[in-house]
């Protein structure tokens, strides 16, 4: 995920919103697959039908949240701290969603 994050940050710097969205999706997909949670996979598949990814970059602050918040998730994963990773991801989803 660290390589994805580096590429995401590079795309953000150049203003390539479509690439940011694609890389952000890949970042979250990798983490979600690593979680091995069928319930999470079901929920995300259901939610995606109602919030198409192409609209994410139009949410005020979303691209910045995707760049900034991922560092806490990566740090927790590097430390193998599942609770901190979950907390960081929940905070990121709330922040990126405009809450």
């Amino acid at each position: 995920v660290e390589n994805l994050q580096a590429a995401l940050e590079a795309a953000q710097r150049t203003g390539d919103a479509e690439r940011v969205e694609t890389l952000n999706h890949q970042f979250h997909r990798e983490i979600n697959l690593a979680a091995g949670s069928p319930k999470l996979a079901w929920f995300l598949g259901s939610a995606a039908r109602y919030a198409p990814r192409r609209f994410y970059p139009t949410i005020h602050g979303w691209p910045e949240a995707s760049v900034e918040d991922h560092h806490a998730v990566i740090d927790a994963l590097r430390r193998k701290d599942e609770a901190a990773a979950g907390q960081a991801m929940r905070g990121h989803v709330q922040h990126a969603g405009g809450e």
Side-chain angles (χ1 to χ4, degrees), residues 3-93:
N3 290 338
L4 287 171
Q5 181 64 18
L8 188 154
E9 291 178 21
Q12 170 68 15
R13 283 191 298 276
T14 64
D16 188 345
E18 184 175 330
R19 181 113 173 102
V20 168
E21 185 283 318
T22 297
L23 291 164
N24 183 67
H25 176 76
Q26 291 174 351
F27 177 92
H28 283 267
R29 185 173 190 279
E30 287 295 317
I31 291 172
N32 294 337
L33 288 172
S37 171
K39 193 179 288 188
L40 177 62
W42 170 83
F43 170 76
L44 293 171
S46 297
R49 286 184 289 217
Y50 298 101
R53 290 182 2 215
R54 70 179 179 272
F55 295 119
Y56 292 176
T58 65
I59 299 169
H60 178 72
W62 178 87
E64 295 80 12
S66 293
V67 168
E68 297 164 10
D69 297 351
H70 288 178
H71 291 283
V73 175
I74 291 169
D75 181 56
L77 291 173
R78 194 179 293 125
R79 291 183 285 115
K80 299 182 184 339
D81 186 338
E82 294 176 24
Q87 183 177 12
M89 186 58 80
R90 284 187 296 278
H92 167 53
V93 169

